[in-house]
């Protein structure tokens, strides 16, 4: 069993997360030129949570991608304009053998059915990292309320099996 990072000892979360990955019932991993499995895990934990989600994946082509999503989208309470996403990566940016690095985006949908990807960056680290993105779509084009659709991972190629953790 893993222990939370020392920076989190005795600290609580600033905000209640919309998704904390404690219950993975009904979560789906859709794959394109890839394989992926999602598990509850105690290997890497965050704050006081007893587990995180562990994604084990392997790419099989140049456009390997995965979408990790709940069976049904999750309504996002208003107001909001930013997304924070904890993840534990699997690659160091200075280690050539750790490539390819995953690109991460959070997928949301507005009340009119329009889908938006919020780019969260590249996973080029091997520790817990809080990624952050602001939702910048023009307010007059977005019909609220919105819902969380999933987490999109692209550039998931490479023939070897790899893993990341979601918090």
């Amino acid at each position: 069993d893993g222990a939370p990072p020392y920076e989190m000892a005795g600290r609580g979360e600033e905000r209640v997360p919309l998704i904390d990955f404690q219950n993975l019932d009904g979560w789906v991993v859709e794959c394109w030129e890839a394989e992926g499995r999602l598990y509850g895990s105690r290997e890497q934990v965050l704050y006081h949570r007893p587990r995180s989600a562990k994604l084990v994946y392997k790419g099989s082509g140049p456009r390997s991608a995965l979408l990790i999503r709940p069976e049904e989208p999750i309504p996002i309470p208003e107001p909001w304009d930013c997304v924070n996403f904890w993840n534990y990566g699997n690659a160091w940016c200075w280690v050539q053998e750790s490539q390819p690095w995953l690109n991460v985006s959070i997928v949301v949908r507005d009340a009119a059915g329009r889908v938006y990807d919020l780019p969260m960056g590249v996973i080029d680290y091997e520790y817990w990292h809080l990624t952050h993105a602001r939702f910048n779509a023009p307010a007059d084009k977005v019909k609220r309320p919105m819902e969380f659709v999933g987490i999109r991972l692209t550039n998931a190629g490479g023939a070897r099996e790899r893993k990341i953790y979601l918090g």
Side-chain angles (χ1 to χ4, degrees):
D1 286 1
Y6 71 90
E7 300 94 338
M8 294 179 185
R11 295 180 64 188
E13 297 181 74
E14 291 181 31
R15 295 167 194 83
V16 176
L18 178 64
I19 300 160
D20 66 7
F21 297 102
Q22 297 307 293
N23 182 352
L24 298 175
D25 292 347
W27 281 77
V28 176
V29 180
E30 293 182 16
C31 303
W32 295 267
E33 296 184 10
E35 301 169 14
R37 298 175 312 280
L38 192 65
Y39 306 97
S41 173
R42 299 181 195 278
E43 293 170 32
Q44 299 294 339
V45 293
L46 191 61
Y47 289 111
H48 59 280
R49 301 181 199 165
R51 70 187 55 84
S52 61
K54 176 181 180 179
L55 174 69
V56 179
Y57 69 94
K58 179 169 66 170
S60 60
R63 293 186 303 268
S64 295
L66 303 104
L67 178 66
I68 304 155
R69 64 173 184 79
E71 275 182 320
E72 297 295 326
I74 299 171
I76 302 172
E78 295 290 345
W80 73 277
D81 67 352
C82 295
V83 172
N84 288 335
F85 172 53
W86 282 107
N87 59 87
Y88 190 101
N90 59 6
W92 290 113
C93 60
W94 61 84
V95 179
Q96 188 70 26
E97 294 78 34
S98 68
Q99 291 186 17
W101 303 319
L102 288 171
N103 297 309
V104 181
S105 63
I106 301 297
V107 183
V108 296
R109 182 171 42 220
D110 74 5
R114 286 184 294 267
V115 175
Y116 302 87
D117 276 43
L118 284 73
M120 302 301 288
V122 175
I123 295 181
D124 61 357
Y125 40 83
E126 195 168 335
Y127 58 90
W128 280 111
H129 185 72
L130 180 63
T131 56
H132 175 84
R134 185 175 183 97
F135 183 63
N136 289 322
D140 62 333
K141 302 277 189 223
V142 177
K143 183 161 174 50
R144 292 185 181 252
M146 299 187 76
E147 55 192 11
F148 168 84
V149 173
I151 301 163
R152 188 182 319 277
L153 303 170
T154 59
N155 201 36
R160 71 186 190 283
E161 194 170 83
R162 304 177 74 186
K163 63 187 173 200
I164 62 170
Y165 299 87
L166 315 174

